[in-house]
Amino acid sequence: MAKYTIGLDYGSDSVRSLIVNVETGEELASVVFEYPRWKRGEYCDAPNNQFRQHPFDYLEGLEYTIVEALKQAPEGVAENVVGISVDTTGSTPVAVDEKGTPLALTPGFEENPNAMFVLWKDHTAVKEAAEINELAKKSDIDFTKYEGGIYSSEWFWAKLLHVTREDAGVYRAAYSWVEHCDWIPAVLTGDTNPKTLKRSRCAAGHKAMWHEAFGGLPSEEFLTQLDPMLSGLKDRLFKETYTCDVAAGTLSEEWAKKLGLSTNVVIGVGAFDAHLGAVGAQIEPYHLSKVMGTSTCDMLIAPLEEVGDKLVSGICGQVDGSIVPGMLGLEAGQSAFGDIYAWFRRLLEWPMQNILADSDLIDEATKKKLIDETSGKIIAKLSQEAENIPIAESGIVALDWMNGRRTPDANQALKGAIMGLNLGSDAPRIFRALVEATAFGSKAINDRFISEGIRIDGVIALGGVAKKSKLVMQIVADVLDMPIKVARSEQACALGTAMAAAVAAGVYENLGEAQAKMGGGFEMEYHPIPENVEKYKALYEKYNKLGKFIEFDLN
């Protein structure tokens, strides 16, 4: 009988379960669950960069998507599922009690955002990140050295320190802290004890300053110097970390009953969505894998012996085994990519949402239908019009720091900008400048790797933007002056997670074997257009000048 694994992919807005045949890579069934509380905007305060998610959204999505996917799958599949692995956004940590239960699931904290998961794009901890960086540079050991040398407000310690300081109730109740990608496997195995659940290497190494050279996490001395409120917390966290090919345990009786699966199903150690997306897109050494969605995460793997002691500054870390076990995993990314296009769409939607919605001339059902249909066409129409605008014709240059800058040189306090507007600047021209800005942000990442001695032999793209927008992909190829291959799978992250599950379950010895058997290949390739490459070189210089002005002259 054929064997199957399930890739459970937690994104920013929804969770997806994908059932995959481990011998052929055939994707049998896929079900998506949108987080209902998140969709209603609960527990978030966007103007103040607060983005929190309730654990109920995750648990409800976990059960619904797997049960419904198994219903869609052919008869006999459920009995032959051998493994489940999980990917999530990150760093997305939560305060937990001694049993490992998120505080939002305990009495008195049900509606408290500080007791919930702090989503990756929450930037409330800018001050705390700055303090970590200042102390690290003064210390005998720079605990940020494997994190690119700059700690970000998007990451583990900054977030937990901010919540600890802000909320005395959460501080008193929190026994430990757990990443989302570690908590879901712990729930499935029934071992949520913060001291015994298996922690992800990629989450710990890239976001929590864990490294073998330090013997694990930063020292107690460093943490208490940062804030005495952190005293003793290190002992309630972890020392060991595990790569995604390791089994976290097997499915508990409780969850086996809920899901209709066997307790023999192996649960793999969790990892971040972008990392397993790179696996699903068949990442190979020195090929930059770009997950292009609301933000971007750019991963690169290289043989450990070739990189040696080289440290790449200004990236999101370099960790042994974080993406593919046995390889050095290097991560970079942009804090906003598709989110910038979505922001511009919302800007253009304002009259519909605030004027047309109040109109008495048409009934409510017609208004809703009209608003929804028009909103859904905005990006497609903008892209169509922008495609016909010559490069640099508008004179508009934009900066893609609407959500701060992740790489190179993390600085979440930075803001975006649009320069060169005049009375002829229309929506398609501004939109094209925003697309170009996101492409220039991608080039800045490539340039940093190359200038630090890490070559890039090719680019692999995956994610919603890569699959949907020819305009964006061609502009990125032109700006990078490199061909870009687009992964065939619609769900590369979930597919990569299913591959990891196959290795954890013992079907394959390593991820390379799983990729060879289960990989979907590539559906198309974008090639740079020589005349566009030259024009974008000049425009990129203007982008860099604008960036320097915004970052230095206005601060």
Side-chain angles (χ1 to χ4, degrees), residues 335-407:
S335 292
F337 199 87
D339 262 355
I340 294 177
Y341 315 150
W343 162 78
F344 192 56
R345 185 198 68 224
R346 291 193 300 272
L347 199 68
L348 299 180
E349 285 175 357
W350 192 92
M352 289 188 294
Q353 302 288 358
N354 294 277
I355 299 175
L356 180 59
D358 294 336
S359 173
D360 296 326
L361 299 178
I362 50 179
D363 62 84
E364 290 301 318
T366 304
K367 276 191 288 190
K368 185 178 185 308
K369 183 180 179 183
L370 183 61
I371 291 171
D372 289 347
E373 286 183 354
T374 304
S375 297
K377 295 176 182 177
I378 288 176
I379 296 296
K381 187 62 176 175
L382 285 171
S383 297
Q384 183 183 339
E385 294 296 320
E387 211 166 344
N388 298 319
I389 299 170
I391 298 170
E393 178 260 8
S394 69
I396 303 172
V397 178
L399 201 58
D400 59 316
W401 298 342
M402 309 293 195
N403 199 26
R405 183 181 64 211
R406 183 181 297 161
T407 311

Side-chain angles (χ1 to χ4, degrees), residues 255-462:
W255 277 94
K257 185 176 179 181
K258 285 182 180 181
L259 302 177
L261 293 170
S262 164
T263 54
N264 293 323
V265 173
V266 173
I267 307 300
V269 169
F272 286 157
D273 50 359
H275 291 215
L276 285 173
V279 171
Q282 295 173 269
I283 191 171
E284 56 184 291
Y286 298 110
H287 279 64
L288 191 75
S289 177
K290 295 180 67 67
V291 181
M292 304 171 77
T294 53
S295 65
T296 74
C297 194
D298 296 17
M299 281 78 53
L300 192 146
I301 59 173
L304 291 160
E305 64 275 12
E306 292 184 16
V307 177
D309 296 330
K310 190 177 297 178
L311 293 173
V312 181
S313 66
I315 63 170
C316 304
Q318 52 191 82
V319 181
D320 176 4
S322 63
I323 301 169
V324 173
M327 290 275 183
L328 182 69
L330 300 102
E331 179 190 328
Q334 293 164 263
S335 292
F337 199 87
D339 262 355
I340 294 177
Y341 315 150
W343 162 78
F344 192 56
R345 185 198 68 224
R346 291 193 300 272
L347 199 68
L348 299 180
E349 285 175 357
W350 192 92
M352 289 188 294
Q353 302 288 358
N354 294 277
I355 299 175
L356 180 59
D358 294 336
S359 173
D360 296 326
L361 299 178
I362 50 179
D363 62 84
E364 290 301 318
T366 304
K367 276 191 288 190
K368 185 178 185 308
K369 183 180 179 183
L370 183 61
I371 291 171
D372 289 347
E373 286 183 354
T374 304
S375 297
K377 295 176 182 177
I378 288 176
I379 296 296
K381 187 62 176 175
L382 285 171
S383 297
Q384 183 183 339
E385 294 296 320
E387 211 166 344
N388 298 319
I389 299 170
I391 298 170
E393 178 260 8
S394 69
I396 303 172
V397 178
L399 201 58
D400 59 316
W401 298 342
M402 309 293 195
N403 199 26
R405 183 181 64 211
R406 183 181 297 161
T407 311
D409 304 322
N411 186 342
Q412 304 307 155
L414 293 175
K415 308 295 183 185
I418 303 174
M419 177 189 78
L421 299 172
N422 60 33
L423 297 179
S425 302
D426 57 15
R429 285 170 170 77
I430 296 173
F431 178 71
R432 182 176 181 109
L434 292 172
V435 172
E436 290 169 341
T438 56
F440 294 147
S442 295
K443 179 170 172 56
I445 291 170
N446 279 31
D447 287 354
R448 176 56 59 91
F449 276 122
I450 294 167
S451 68
E452 297 278 313
I454 305 294
R455 74 177 195 268
I456 298 175
D457 294 342
V459 179
I460 298 169
L462 59 148

Side-chain angles (χ1 to χ4, degrees), residues 227-280:
D227 196 308
M229 296 177 81
L230 298 180
S231 176
L233 177 59
K234 180 181 177 180
D235 291 336
R236 304 192 302 275
L237 288 168
F238 56 92
K239 293 181 180 178
E240 300 298 321
T241 64
Y242 301 86
T243 52
C244 66
D245 57 340
V246 173
T250 54
L251 192 61
S252 70
E253 287 188 15
E254 177 190 357
W255 277 94
K257 185 176 179 181
K258 285 182 180 181
L259 302 177
L261 293 170
S262 164
T263 54
N264 293 323
V265 173
V266 173
I267 307 300
V269 169
F272 286 157
D273 50 359
H275 291 215
L276 285 173
V279 171

Side-chain angles (χ1 to χ4, degrees), residues 30-334:
S30 177
V31 172
V32 177
F33 176 87
E34 293 186 342
Y35 310 135
R37 297 160 189 81
W38 171 260
K39 193 173 182 180
R40 293 192 294 266
E42 296 177 13
Y43 316 118
C44 296
D45 180 7
N48 290 308
N49 292 309
Q50 176 181 300
F51 298 98
R52 310 292 166 85
Q53 292 185 329
H54 201 290
F56 274 143
D57 277 355
Y58 298 159
L59 293 175
E60 291 166 7
L62 165 61
E63 184 172 357
Y64 175 83
T65 57
I66 291 182
V67 169
E68 291 301 313
L70 288 169
K71 286 180 183 177
Q72 290 182 12
E75 189 176 345
V77 167
E79 292 81 2
N80 289 286
V81 170
V82 296
I84 300 173
S85 281
V86 177
D87 75 68
T88 74
T89 64
S91 178
T92 301
V94 69
V96 298
D97 64 13
E98 199 163 351
K99 296 178 181 178
T101 303
L103 295 187
L105 298 180
T106 64
F109 293 98
E110 297 92 339
E111 300 297 315
N112 184 343
N114 290 323
M116 299 174 191
F117 284 89
V118 185
L119 188 64
W120 66 269
K121 69 177 181 179
D122 186 294
H123 290 163
T124 52
V126 170
K127 175 177 176 289
E128 286 75 13
E131 291 177 33
I132 290 171
N133 285 314
E134 183 179 358
L135 179 60
K137 297 300 176 279
K138 294 177 182 176
S139 301
D140 292 337
I141 299 174
D142 182 356
F143 290 104
T144 70
K145 66 190 287 188
Y146 297 104
E147 309 267 9
I150 302 175
Y151 203 75
S152 168
S153 64
E154 293 184 348
W155 299 347
F156 184 80
W157 287 108
K159 286 176 172 178
L160 77 82
L161 179 56
H162 176 78
V163 171
T164 294
R165 289 171 169 175
E166 185 175 73
D167 197 314
V170 169
Y171 168 63
R172 287 192 296 269
Y175 176 78
S176 188
W177 285 75
V178 177
E179 279 282 357
H180 184 194
C181 71
D182 296 331
W183 185 64
I184 297 296
V187 167
L188 288 172
T189 61
D191 178 16
T192 56
N193 184 326
K195 294 186 116 176
T196 59
L197 67 88
K198 288 185 175 174
R199 307 279 187 149
S200 162
R201 173 72 57 86
C202 77
H206 287 280
K207 312 301 179 186
M209 295 188 284
W210 180 95
H211 199 275
E212 290 175 334
F214 310 142
L217 294 168
S219 67
E220 177 73 6
E221 180 186 8
F222 177 85
L223 295 174
T224 52
Q225 274 189 309
L226 187 59
D227 196 308
M229 296 177 81
L230 298 180
S231 176
L233 177 59
K234 180 181 177 180
D235 291 336
R236 304 192 302 275
L237 288 168
F238 56 92
K239 293 181 180 178
E240 300 298 321
T241 64
Y242 301 86
T243 52
C244 66
D245 57 340
V246 173
T250 54
L251 192 61
S252 70
E253 287 188 15
E254 177 190 357
W255 277 94
K257 185 176 179 181
K258 285 182 180 181
L259 302 177
L261 293 170
S262 164
T263 54
N264 293 323
V265 173
V266 173
I267 307 300
V269 169
F272 286 157
D273 50 359
H275 291 215
L276 285 173
V279 171
Q282 295 173 269
I283 191 171
E284 56 184 291
Y286 298 110
H287 279 64
L288 191 75
S289 177
K290 295 180 67 67
V291 181
M292 304 171 77
T294 53
S295 65
T296 74
C297 194
D298 296 17
M299 281 78 53
L300 192 146
I301 59 173
L304 291 160
E305 64 275 12
E306 292 184 16
V307 177
D309 296 330
K310 190 177 297 178
L311 293 173
V312 181
S313 66
I315 63 170
C316 304
Q318 52 191 82
V319 181
D320 176 4
S322 63
I323 301 169
V324 173
M327 290 275 183
L328 182 69
L330 300 102
E331 179 190 328
Q334 293 164 263

